[in-house]
Amino acid sequence: MAMSDAAPYPDFSDRTVSLPATIARNEKTVRDGFWRKLRRNMARVPFAEHAVAVWYCAFDPATPVRAKGVILAALAYFVLPLDVLPDALLGLGFTDDLTVLLTAISLIRAHLKPEHYDRARETLAAMRDGRA
């Protein structure tokens, strides 16, 4: 594992470093459940465009591993059925998910590109039209 000279921990920007177990687990959770949960709750998720843009950012090869880790943790929180406010609570159920997502966005904003939002809008339009 590559180690930085300046710090006693792995340099996650080094492409030879494999993903830590937590990031890998979050990636599996997101890959397995993100689209299913979004489709099932599309009408109740007012932040869908942000969530999909962040998903595209997470799987963009240009996004650094540290940013991917933050994004995947936020998206895994959205996907997992147990959270602070149950998603079934009308009007409040997704507020905690939104808070987690917006916090993640604030931390990785430099890596979230206009192309990610363009793809998100295209994908959501296709989903609404039944093309995806």
Side-chain angles (χ1 to χ4, degrees):
M1 191 178 298
M3 297 295 274
S4 169
D5 293 332
Y9 48 85
D11 176 7
F12 294 124
S13 63
D14 184 333
R15 296 262 184 221
T16 64
V17 174
S18 61
L19 292 176
T22 301
I23 295 174
R25 187 175 49 246
N26 286 341
E27 180 179 1
K28 180 173 179 6
T29 298
V30 171
R31 283 188 186 277
D32 292 349
F34 178 77
W35 294 108
R36 182 176 48 247
K37 178 141 187 191
L38 185 64
R39 278 188 183 92
R40 201 172 49 237
N41 295 287
M42 190 116 116
R44 298 181 327 154
V45 179
F47 54 90
E49 183 176 317
H50 292 294
V52 175
V54 167
W55 189 93
Y56 282 120
C57 183
F59 295 102
D60 182 339
T63 302
V65 173
R66 276 178 266 186
K68 288 179 191 234
V70 170
I71 294 166
L72 291 169
L75 292 176
Y77 185 84
F78 169 70
V79 170
L80 292 173
L82 298 173
D83 53 23
V84 176
L85 290 173
D87 296 337
L89 285 178
L90 192 59
L92 295 175
F94 287 103
T95 55
D96 58 328
D97 301 88
L98 175 60
T99 301
V100 170
L101 184 65
L102 291 177
T103 301
I105 289 172
S106 72
L107 294 171
I108 59 92
R109 183 169 303 283
H111 305 290
L112 192 55
K113 308 284 189 240
E115 307 85 71
H116 299 136
Y117 276 99
D118 292 343
R119 289 189 68 196
R121 284 188 287 277
E122 290 169 11
T123 300
L124 290 169
M127 288 173 71
R128 287 184 189 108
D129 295 345
R131 294 180 281 127

